[in-house]
Amino acid sequence: GAGVSQSPSNKVTEKGKDVELRCDPISGHTALYWYRQRLGQGLEFLIYFQGNSAPDKSGLPSDRFSAERTGESVSTLTIQRTQQEDSAVYLCASSLDGTGGAGELFFGEGSRLTVL
Amino acid sequence: DQQVKQNSPSLSVQEGRISILNCDYTNSMFDYFLWYKKYPAEGPTFLISISSIKDKNEDGRFTVFLNKSAKHLSLHIVPSQPGDSAVYFCAALPNSGNTPLVFGKGTRLSVIA
C-alpha cells in the first residue's frame, strides 16, 4: 500500500480482555516498529522487527504484551488481560531498512486503545 | 530515564515570527537526530534530520541546529504559519547499529494568526 496501515483505528475494551492490533507496513520495508503514546507522554518504544533477526523486545512493558510479524509483512501486537494503564495510541512504523542510516520512520495513524 | 528531553511541553508564537523548539539529549552515543511533526489523529511524519558531522541543516522554512558539546539541538521555523501548529517530536539514533529511534515527549506548537 501507499502508507503504513493500522487497524482498528479505535478500540474500546473492558479491563481484563485481550486485544489485537494490526499493522501493515509499507511494501518493501524490512524494519517495523511499535511505539505507544499515552496521554501527555512521548513516544514510547515497544518492539522492533528487522528482517529475519530476532526482534528487539526491550521496550515491552510487561509479559502481557507480545508481537509477531509474518516475514516482512503484517505485524500483530497483542495485549493480554488489558489494564487501564494500557490505554494509549499504539503507533506502528516501518522503514526501508533498520540500519539507522537514514533513521526515517513512516508511521501509521495509530490505533487508539481505551481500556474501561 | 529520559535520554531525549523536550523541556517545553508547549509553545505559542505569532504568525510570521520565528518558532524555536529545543531538545536536549544525554547519550553521547547518539549521532543522528530527527524532528517529527504530528497533527491530531495522525501519525508522526518526518520533518528534518541532522547528522552529528554537521551543525546545521536547512530545508525551506525549517532549520535544525546541533551543538554536540552541549548535547543540544533546536528546530527553527521561520516564518511560522498557522499550519505549523502541531506537536513536534525530537528523536535520536545511536551509532551502535540496529536500534530504534528514541523520542522526546514532544512540544506542542501553536501558531496564532
Side-chain angles (χ1 to χ4, degrees):
Chain A
V4 177
S5 177
Q6 291 187 246
S7 61
S9 54
N10 275 289
K11 175 73 176 178
V12 179
T13 190
E14 292 181 346
K15 177 181 173 181
K17 300 281 190 181
D18 297 352
V19 297
E20 281 191 357
L21 307 176
R22 177 187 167 107
C23 173
D24 281 279
I26 293 173
S27 178
H29 280 193
T30 64
L32 186 147
Y33 309 76
W34 283 98
Y35 285 83
R36 74 175 176 181
Q37 185 180 19
R38 291 188 282 187
L39 192 64
Q41 300 297 312
L43 297 177
E44 178 186 3
F45 165 71
L46 297 177
I47 188 168
Y48 158 51
F49 296 90
Q50 169 55 43
N52 294 320
S53 303
D56 176 354
K57 303 179 181 181
S58 61
L60 295 179
S62 78
D63 59 9
R64 296 187 295 105
F65 287 72
S66 62
E68 293 183 348
R69 187 181 185 191
T70 308
E72 293 185 351
S73 182
V74 172
S75 175
T76 303
L77 177 69
T78 302
I79 309 171
Q80 295 179 310
R81 305 181 302 282
T82 52
Q83 303 294 312
Q84 288 182 332
E85 63 263 27
D86 300 335
S87 296
V89 176
Y90 288 81
L91 290 158
C92 176
S94 69
S95 66
L96 192 59
D97 60 41
T99 63
E104 182 179 347
L105 304 185
F106 294 84
F107 282 86
E109 294 185 352
S111 293
R112 180 178 296 278
L113 174 65
T114 303
V115 182
L116 301 177
Chain B
D1 182 32
Q2 280 272 310
Q3 296 187 67
V4 177
K5 300 177 183 179
Q6 294 178 258
N7 292 321
S8 297
S10 63
L11 175 68
S12 289
V13 173
Q14 278 197 316
E15 181 179 7
R17 299 292 186 110
I18 185 170
S19 295
I20 300 176
L21 296 101
N22 293 304
C23 177
D24 297 289
Y25 60 96
T26 57
N27 189 341
S28 57
M29 298 297 286
F30 289 146
D31 70 348
Y32 196 79
F33 304 89
L34 305 92
W35 286 93
Y36 281 78
K37 176 179 179 180
K38 185 181 184 300
Y39 291 119
E42 294 184 11
T45 55
F46 170 74
L47 185 59
I48 193 169
S49 63
I50 189 166
S51 165
S52 61
I53 61 173
K54 293 186 174 182
D55 54 18
K56 177 182 175 181
N57 188 26
E58 190 172 352
D59 183 3
R61 297 184 298 112
F62 302 91
T63 303
V64 56
F65 295 92
L66 175 63
N67 182 335
K68 290 187 290 293
S69 61
K71 293 192 179 68
H72 176 83
L73 63 154
S74 60
L75 174 67
H76 293 210
I77 307 173
V78 56
S80 301
Q81 299 174 353
D84 297 330
S85 297
V87 177
Y88 289 79
F89 290 98
C90 174
L93 195 62
N95 60 6
S96 55
N98 291 352
T99 52
L101 282 176
V102 179
F103 285 87
K105 290 189 174 184
T107 297
R108 181 179 301 278
L109 173 66
S110 299
V111 180
I112 304 162

